[in-house]
Amino acid sequence: MSTRRSSFEMFSEMEELMDRMRQSMADSVGDVRSWRPQRSAADRHGLLTLEADGEDYRIVADLPGFDTEDIDLRFDDGRLTLTATNEVETNDEHGTHSRSRRVSESLYVPGTIDAESIEASYQNGVLDIHLPVDEPVDSHRIDID
């Protein structure tokens, strides 16, 4: 007897598969954080746009219809992850209606980012994230006695 999966489960499995594929692709080219490409135009990654902002990076996401508290933004080990969930329930003469919307996107940011200094603002449906690049630590020779 076969079990029937819901559409939500199938999309969830597909999202997990895509995440594994992205990770596999990133692993195959080495540590993507170790290089800093010269960018003159913005790179689009799904709903996120990555731009070089002088020495730093700027990421912009269009998220109309969300409130600030609907958005979860995290930076971990060179990867920025954005998840936003919005649920709305309305009542009218025809009954109660509900709708929900969920978006999720992540990307690797090249270079070394000063995670403690990341700033984000959200205004008029646009999330603007500033990621300051950390200066690479100069290596120095250690004398052996």
Side-chain angles (χ1 to χ4, degrees), residues 81-92:
T81 303
L82 170 113
T83 305
T85 306
N86 182 331
E87 296 182 17
V88 177
E89 189 171 295
T90 58
N91 295 310
D92 62 18

Side-chain angles (χ1 to χ4, degrees), residues 66-95:
F66 289 97
D67 292 325
T68 305
E69 51 275 352
D70 297 335
I71 302 169
D72 182 41
L73 187 61
R74 298 178 185 270
F75 185 79
D76 184 39
D77 198 26
R79 181 178 179 147
L80 181 83
T81 303
L82 170 113
T83 305
T85 306
N86 182 331
E87 296 182 17
V88 177
E89 189 171 295
T90 58
N91 295 310
D92 62 18
E93 65 273 1
H94 300 291

Side-chain angles (χ1 to χ4, degrees), residues 7 9 19 25 34 36 41 52 56 59 77 79 98 110 115 120 131:
S7 296
E9 290 173 319
D19 284 343
M25 290 169 57
S34 64
R36 180 162 167 80
D56 299 334
I59 297 176
D77 198 26
R79 181 178 179 147
S98 63
L131 298 111

Side-chain angles (χ1 to χ4, degrees), residues 95-124:
T96 302
H97 307 278
S98 63
R99 66 178 171 87
S100 64
R101 179 175 169 217
R102 181 178 190 273
V103 294
S104 181
E105 189 76 34
S106 65
L107 64 91
Y108 285 98
V109 180
T112 305
I113 303 300
D114 181 3
E116 297 295 320
S117 299
I118 295 174
E119 296 177 349
S121 62
Y122 183 67
Q123 187 174 27
N124 297 328

